Amino acid sequence: MEMYMPVSGVTMPWWPLLLIGFTVGVVGGYFGLGGAWLVTPALNIFGFPMIYAVGTDMAHIMGKSIVATFRHWKFGHVSPMVALVMLLGTFSGIEVGAQFLFWLTQIGMAGDVVRYMYMGLLAFLAVFILTEYAREKKKEKEAGAEIKDVVGTPWSRWIHQTLDVAPRFYCKVSKTSFSIWSIIFVGWVVGVVAGILGIGGGLIRVPALIYLVGFPTKIAVGTDLFEVAFSGAYGTLTYSLKGGVELIAAVIMLVGAAIGAQFGTITTKYVYGLVIRLVFGIAVIFAFTSVATRQYASILSRPYRKELEALLAEAGLKKVDFPAIYQSKDKMYHWCIEVFNRPEWYAQFLKVYAWTTAAGILMMTAATGLCLFILYQFALGVQRERAKKSVAG
C-alpha cells in the first residue's frame, strides 16, 4: 500500500518504514545510537530530500531512545550527570549545525556536503575501531587471557592529565572524575555534527565517551541513549519549526523502533564490550558503502537534474513535487521523453535509478543482517542464562 507524505511530497509503501524502525531499534539499542547513521541515508535513498530525511529522523530518534534508555538504566549503564552536562553543549551545537544545513539547502549543496561528511566520518571510525579491536585481540592472544572490554585510552588519560580545569565532578557509575568544561566541549562538537548530519550524535558521542572520556563500552552506550533522547527532542523542535519533519513517517518508524529497541538493549546484558565495538565497526563499513553508492548516483544525475527541474518549474510544478517524479520510472519517462523530448535524460536517469536501488538494497540488507546477528546473540544469551539457573536450581 502506497502512502503519500504531505510534507516531503514522497510516496512510498508503509512497510519499509516499519522495517527500518524495527531494525534501527534493535541495532541502536545494542550500540547506544539513535540510529540516524542508518535512517537518514535510508530515507534519502527512498526519495526523501535531505532536509526532510534529517528532520524526520530527529523525531524518530527521540521516541526510540526513551524506550532504550529505560532498559539500560535498569542494567546500571546510564550516567545521567555526564549526559546532562553534555546537553549544555549539545543544544547550542545542534542549532549551529541545523542553521548550517538549512543554508546549504538554500544554495543547493546539502545533499553532497552531508553525504561527503558522512563518508569521511564513517571511514575514519571504521578504520580506527577495527584497528583497535585487532590490537586488543592480539594482546589477548599473547597474554592467554580473555579481554572483555578496554577502559581508558592514551587519549583519555592525556585529556584527564592536561585538561584538568575546575569545576570537576565525580561519576559514580564509571567511578571516574571529569572536568565539566571538557564534557561541555565534547557535547558542543557532537551537537554541531548531529545538527548537520541529522543524527542523535551517538555515532561520534559513543566513540568519544569510550576513547576520549574513558568510559566502559556499556556505560558509554547507555549514557549516550539517555542524552540522545534529549538532543533528539530539541532537534525535532528545531526542524519542526522549520517545516522539516514528516510526522507520518516518523510515527510509523517509531512503532517498529519501540519494539526493536527492547531486544537490542537486553542483548548488551549478554555480550562483552569489545564484541560491541567489533560489530559497531562492521556496521560502519556497511553504512559508508551505502552512502558512497548514493553519492555516486547523485553525481550521475547532474547532467540532467538542474535543467530538468527548471523545465518542470516552468511547467507549473513546485519543488515539493520533484521527489515523487524522481521515484517513478513512468513519471520520468513522461516528462523526459513525452513532454521535453530528451531521451538521453531518461537513459541517464535509469542508471541513477539502478544505483539508488542498489544503495537501498545494500543498506537494508546490512541493517537486517546486523539485526539478525544481534537477535542471535540475544537468543544465545537467554539460553545460557536459563542453563545457569537450571544448574543452580
Side-chain angles (χ1 to χ4, degrees):
M1 177 182 175
E2 297 284 323
M3 296 186 65
Y4 176 70
M5 308 293 169
V7 178
S8 61
V10 174
T11 300
M12 66 176 294
W14 60 268
W15 65 265
L17 295 172
L18 190 66
L19 177 60
I20 291 171
F22 176 80
T23 301
V24 170
V26 174
V27 176
Y30 182 82
F31 293 135
L33 311 180
W37 56 296
L38 288 173
V39 176
T40 297
L43 290 178
N44 190 227
I45 286 166
F46 280 111
F48 281 73
M50 187 59 72
I51 195 68
Y52 297 110
V54 169
T56 301
D57 185 53
M58 279 286 188
H60 155 261
I61 282 172
M62 175 184 64
K64 190 221 61 168
S65 298
I66 291 173
V67 174
T69 297
F70 279 121
R71 280 288 183 180
H72 278 286
W73 191 295
K74 182 178 179 181
F75 297 149
H77 296 166
V78 179
S79 174
M81 178 62 73
V82 171
L84 292 174
V85 171
M86 287 187 71
L87 281 174
L88 298 176
T90 301
F91 283 164
S92 61
I94 286 179
E95 185 61 32
V96 171
Q99 292 294 340
F100 181 65
L101 179 59
F102 272 86
W103 175 73
L104 289 175
T105 300
Q106 291 175 355
I107 63 176
M109 294 179 61
D112 287 343
V113 171
V114 169
R115 281 191 289 270
Y116 279 127
M117 287 186 66
Y118 256 117
M119 287 188 286
L121 184 60
L122 292 171
F124 171 78
L125 287 175
V127 172
F128 182 85
I129 293 171
L130 294 180
T131 299
E132 186 227 24
Y133 176 82
R135 183 174 61 249
E136 295 304 323
K137 294 303 289 185
K138 182 179 179 181
K139 291 180 180 178
E140 180 180 90
K141 185 176 180 180
E142 293 174 349
E146 190 174 36
I147 298 177
K148 297 181 179 181
D149 199 4
V150 180
V151 180
T153 66
W155 291 356
S156 66
R157 286 188 287 271
W158 180 86
I159 289 175
H160 291 317
Q161 291 172 1
T162 60
L163 301 180
D164 188 9
V165 181
R168 299 178 62 85
F169 66 93
Y170 180 75
C171 174
K172 294 181 179 179
V173 177
S174 64
K175 297 180 176 59
T176 49
S177 61
F178 309 98
S179 165
I180 286 180
W181 299 112
S182 63
I183 300 299
I184 290 176
F185 176 73
V186 171
W188 185 84
V189 173
V190 169
V192 171
V193 178
I196 297 173
L197 301 185
I199 60 179
L203 182 63
I204 58 174
R205 185 165 45 245
V206 169
L209 287 171
I210 292 172
Y211 300 113
L212 301 182
V213 178
F215 263 16
T217 302
K218 293 183 181 182
I219 296 177
V221 167
T223 301
D224 173 67
L225 279 169
F226 181 84
E227 207 274 355
V228 165
F230 289 93
S231 60
Y234 183 77
T236 300
L237 176 63
T238 295
Y239 278 89
S240 294
L241 294 175
K242 296 176 175 65
V245 176
E246 184 61 78
L247 187 59
I248 294 175
V251 170
I252 294 174
M253 288 191 296
L254 182 56
V255 171
I259 300 172
Q262 300 289 334
F263 291 98
T265 303
I266 295 174
T267 304
T268 62
K269 176 182 176 182
Y270 304 115
V271 297
Y272 297 144
L274 203 59
V275 174
I276 296 176
R277 297 191 195 189
L278 171 63
V279 182
F280 180 90
I282 295 172
V284 168
I285 292 175
F286 282 116
F288 169 83
T289 305
S290 181
V291 176
T293 304
R294 181 64 182 85
Q295 178 60 17
Y296 180 65
S298 177
I299 293 173
L300 289 177
S301 71
R302 290 175 183 173
Y304 66 82
R305 195 178 188 104
K306 187 174 182 180
E307 190 173 353
L308 173 61
E309 291 184 356
L311 292 174
L312 290 173
E314 291 179 6
L317 276 74
K318 297 181 180 179
K319 201 168 184 179
V320 71
D321 300 321
F322 297 166
I325 295 175
Y326 292 138
Q327 285 181 289
S328 171
K329 289 183 180 180
D330 292 338
K331 291 180 180 179
M332 283 294 288
Y333 182 88
H334 169 73
W335 288 104
C336 292
I337 295 182
E338 296 178 350
V339 178
F340 301 132
N341 192 29
R342 299 296 295 268
E344 69 277 13
W345 286 358
Y346 184 70
Q348 188 70 8
F349 161 75
L350 291 179
K351 296 179 182 179
V352 174
Y353 190 88
W355 278 97
T356 302
T357 301
I361 293 173
L362 175 63
M363 176 65 74
M364 294 310 300
T365 301
T368 302
L370 288 169
C371 178
L372 292 174
F373 177 74
I374 293 169
L375 292 176
Y376 173 70
Q377 289 184 309
F378 170 79
L380 289 180
V382 171
Q383 185 179 19
R384 288 194 299 266
E385 188 175 58
R386 287 179 177 176
K388 289 180 180 178
K389 290 181 178 179
S390 177
V391 172

